[in-house]
Amino acid sequence: ITVSSWTSTSRWPCGYNAMGFSQGGQFLRAVAQRCPSPPMKTLISIGGQQQGVYGLPRCPGESSVICDWIRKKLNSGAYTDVVQKHLVQAQYWHDPLNDDLYKKHSLFLADINQERVVNETYKKNLQMLDKFVMVKFLQDTVVDPVDTEWFGFLKTGQAKETETLQESVLYKEDRLGLAAMEAAGKLHFLATEGDHLQFTEKWFNENLLPYLR
Ligand SMILES: *[C@@H]1O[C@H](CO)[C@@H](O)[C@H](O)[C@H]1NC(C)=O
């Protein structure tokens, strides 16, 4: 997680821009939703898992029987209180086959994604962003499913087919204000070639730096 720059405006306190790498992407979004002062202006999520993960690094569950078996087994432990509180990855474990368990016991992700209740404060705070930029790595072998980097995920009740953010209930019911943000031109979806967090300085300078100016 890096806080990349402070922008000075005529009024004090100033706002700031934030850039989160990998899990830093979803953790900084929680900061935007929970801590509105000073205001975050631009949030850049680089390979972040905005809808969590259902899989292990380099173990693609949709194409490998053993990987699929492991992730199914993992679920039973992921939502126990002790694991939720002490294992950071469990904070964004999202099992589409056990939607009720996820909604009920995921302390972090289900909370910031408004799965239990719609917290109007979260919704209002997130919409204070000027820009929410999400970067997806097209050959990512670490994050499963990679759609989560653009806020998509697996469709509920199965573990093969994915849906985009725009196809999700979260978006259609606008539980987090993302549909309103997209209508206002605040959502930016970028894709780049390469595995997880693999990008060139040239790509960074051309594509991300302009958001930080
Ligand atoms: C909504 O979020 C705010 C900010 O984190 C928190 O203070 C409040 O208790 C939350 N309300 C509900 C209903 O969860």
Side-chain angles (χ1 to χ4, degrees), residues 6-16 36-39 41 128:
W6 291 84
T7 57
S8 33
T9 57
S10 48
R11 285 185 307 139
W12 200 86
C14 314
Y16 67 99
S37 181
K41 296 290 185 188
M128 282 163 56

Side-chain angles (χ1 to χ4, degrees), residues 15-108:
Y16 67 99
N17 297 325
M19 187 160 56
F21 292 91
S22 199
Q23 61 185 14
Q26 58 268 32
F27 292 149
L28 280 175
R29 177 163 59 85
V31 172
Q33 290 175 209
R34 289 173 177 168
C35 317
S37 181
M40 194 183 285
K41 296 290 185 188
T42 294
L43 169 60
I44 304 180
S45 164
I46 303 176
Q49 298 102 51
Q50 300 297 337
Q51 271 290 10
V53 294
Y54 181 56
L56 301 170
R58 298 184 216 291
C59 203
E62 62 283 10
S63 58
S64 152
V65 174
I66 183 80
C67 296
D68 191 39
W69 183 83
I70 294 171
R71 66 183 183 178
K72 277 183 184 147
K73 291 290 153 201
L74 266 177
N75 181 61
S76 45
Y79 297 121
T80 59
D81 249 28
V82 62
V83 174
Q84 280 287 313
K85 283 180 185 147
H86 299 288
L87 186 67
V88 70
Q89 284 79 8
Q91 302 259 316
Y92 50 90
W93 186 255
H94 185 168
D95 183 346
L97 302 175
N98 288 279
D99 202 47
D100 290 349
L101 272 185
Y102 161 68
K103 286 185 173 159
K104 225 166 137 186
H105 297 290
S106 162
L107 293 182
F108 173 75

Side-chain angles (χ1 to χ4, degrees), residues 118-162:
V118 172
N119 184 326
E120 292 297 336
T121 307
Y122 281 179
K123 202 169 160 175
K124 191 181 93 213
N125 289 347
L126 191 64
Q127 289 183 85
M128 282 163 56
L129 286 175
D130 293 333
K131 295 188 184 88
F132 179 14
V133 183
M134 286 171 264
V135 178
K136 176 165 90 174
F137 293 88
L138 294 170
Q139 287 83 37
D140 203 314
T141 60
V142 175
V143 173
D144 189 12
V146 71
D147 314 66
T148 188
E149 297 181 357
W150 276 4
F151 230 126
F153 203 64
L154 293 155
K155 291 182 184 167
T156 302
Q158 53 86 60
K160 259 193 155 65
E161 275 180 53
T162 57

